[in-house]
Amino acid sequence: MLISPHFDLAEFTTSQTAARLGRDVIAPVEVVRNLERLCFEILEPLRDMLARPIIINSGYRPDWLNKAVGGSETSAHLLGLAADIIAPGIVPMGVAGRVGMMYAAQIDGRPLIPTLDQCILEFGRWTHVGLRAANETPRGEFLTARSVNGRTVYEVGLRP
């Protein structure tokens, strides 16, 4: 089921971990609405800017799946407000940098992606983009996640 011109709901609910566990990921209606917002407010504009497809590595995660992959208890993935992405032919730092450019760019005095809550360059392997819930103020955070002594550490800013 298409939830935007270039993204299908299945892209956000397919999980290798869920498949290994023999479980299906089924997104409730409110999560599908959030995923639609994510597509229209961030992913579609980013796809246009990059002029190439975006691949979703991780989208919606119900609580059981979030625990299985070691996700944060407050992860935006639990609400369908985040996706971990890659773009073929562009390194993750380049994708994150383009998100930063879009966040800073304005048309008629409005940012291109005003609802961005977080952009995280994760372990140099993918880019996490997320929204805030509709009634919450977005933080506009740009972070880099690294593994230090087996723990995930977040640094402010995008760092190679």
Side-chain angles (χ1 to χ4, degrees), residues 98-106 111-114 116 138-140 142:
R98 298 272 178 41
V99 173
M101 289 171 50
M102 291 176 66
Y103 186 73
Q106 297 192 0
L112 288 177
I113 50 173
L116 178 77
R139 295 173 285 187
F142 287 84

Side-chain angles (χ1 to χ4, degrees), residues 4 28 33 47 52 56-57 66 73 80 84 158:
S4 76
R33 286 191 193 115
R47 188 184 192 282
R52 67 190 66 221
I56 310 298
N57 288 337
N66 195 56
E73 292 179 5
D84 296 338
L158 299 175

Side-chain angles (χ1 to χ4, degrees), residues 12 34-35 37-39 41-43 46 56 58-59 74-85 95-96 99 103 113-122 126-134 136-143:
F12 295 91
N34 287 339
L35 291 170
R37 276 188 57 222
L38 181 64
C39 288
E41 295 178 24
I42 295 180
L43 297 176
L46 179 60
I56 310 298
S58 181
T74 60
S75 174
H77 288 277
L78 291 162
L79 302 173
L81 291 169
D84 296 338
I85 61 172
V95 173
V99 173
Y103 186 73
I113 50 173
T115 56
L116 178 77
D117 186 50
Q118 288 186 317
C119 176
I120 307 172
L121 177 62
E122 297 202 54
W126 64 85
T127 303
H128 167 100
V129 291
L131 298 172
R132 202 70 159 163
E136 297 177 359
T137 303
R139 295 173 285 187
E141 289 183 330
F142 287 84
L143 305 169

